[in-house]
Amino acid sequence: MRCRRGPDNPIMLQKSLLIVYMLLFALYPARAVYASNEVFVGTWKGEGTIIVTWCAQKQMPFELNIDEHGTVSGTIGDATIQYGTMELNNILYRWLGNREYIIDAELSGYLIEKENIKRDSIRIFLDFEKPFLSGGFHSSGSTFGGKEEMVLSGSSVKLVKVTE
């Protein structure tokens, strides 16, 4: 008796589905697995270097307040953070050398009021390198379009926890 191969074989179908589910699980970003570690809870201040040529300002100030649930508030530049969350980055991306944590936040107001630069949201990529959070950022925006529309990007973000 020969073993059937192909899509009509239920065992092969189950194995294929299992592999697909495992890949989807690995690629799906972890939600709210942020930092159950209390070391992140508190206020972090610092700045990052703006790396786009069309922006006259060269440094972006950060003040992030992180609570025990991974909710982030505070300010970035002149903008106020709304609905910010800190999460563990996808395991596959971390294996590929990307940052360990991601902060996603909506923004209210101008990122840089003096230059009329306003964006709807920002993503900050961070690693915890005791005692600092370090990484980079990208705002919402398009690939082209200059100061009015383009993504505002930065690197060399270095944040230190404020102790009171």
Side-chain angles (χ1 to χ4, degrees):
M1 178 185 228
R2 292 188 81 165
C3 181
R4 294 183 297 171
R5 292 182 185 248
D8 57 338
N9 182 344
I11 294 173
M12 289 297 289
L13 182 60
Q14 287 176 345
K15 286 181 181 178
S16 298
L17 285 174
L18 181 61
I19 290 170
V20 168
Y21 289 137
M22 288 173 36
L23 283 172
L24 288 175
F25 178 74
L27 294 175
Y28 187 76
R31 297 285 175 216
V33 182
Y34 105 100
S36 52
N37 187 340
E38 291 184 15
V39 73
F40 296 110
V41 175
T43 301
W44 295 79
K45 288 185 178 183
E47 63 184 17
T49 303
I50 297 171
I51 60 172
V52 294
T53 58
W54 45 262
C55 183
Q57 183 173 313
K58 297 304 173 201
Q59 297 297 120
M60 179 68 71
F62 289 80
E63 182 173 332
L64 308 178
N65 303 305
I66 303 171
D67 73 13
E68 64 275 1
H69 304 291
T71 302
V72 180
S73 59
T75 59
I76 299 172
D78 297 319
T80 302
I81 296 172
Q82 296 183 321
Y83 311 111
T85 57
M86 182 177 186
E87 299 171 344
L88 195 57
N89 199 356
N90 179 295
I91 192 168
L92 181 62
Y93 296 146
R94 288 183 279 144
W95 282 341
L96 293 172
N98 291 292
R99 302 289 179 163
E100 192 170 2
Y101 297 96
I102 296 176
I103 294 177
D104 281 316
E106 292 181 26
L107 299 173
S108 173
Y110 288 93
L111 265 172
I112 304 172
E113 189 169 13
K114 190 176 184 180
E115 297 184 50
N116 292 323
I117 298 173
K118 186 174 185 176
R119 299 295 182 268
D120 296 327
S121 62
I122 196 160
R123 177 170 272 188
I124 309 165
F125 305 92
L126 298 167
D127 281 330
F128 183 53
E129 299 170 354
K130 293 181 183 176
F132 303 105
L133 286 171
S134 61
F137 65 92
H138 299 294
S139 74
S140 58
S142 64
T143 308
F144 302 101
K147 180 166 77 170
E148 295 76 29
E149 298 176 16
M150 275 183 86
V151 171
L152 179 68
S153 295
S155 65
S156 303
V157 171
K158 189 172 185 181
L159 306 175
V160 64
K161 190 171 185 179
V162 176
T163 54
E164 298 179 64

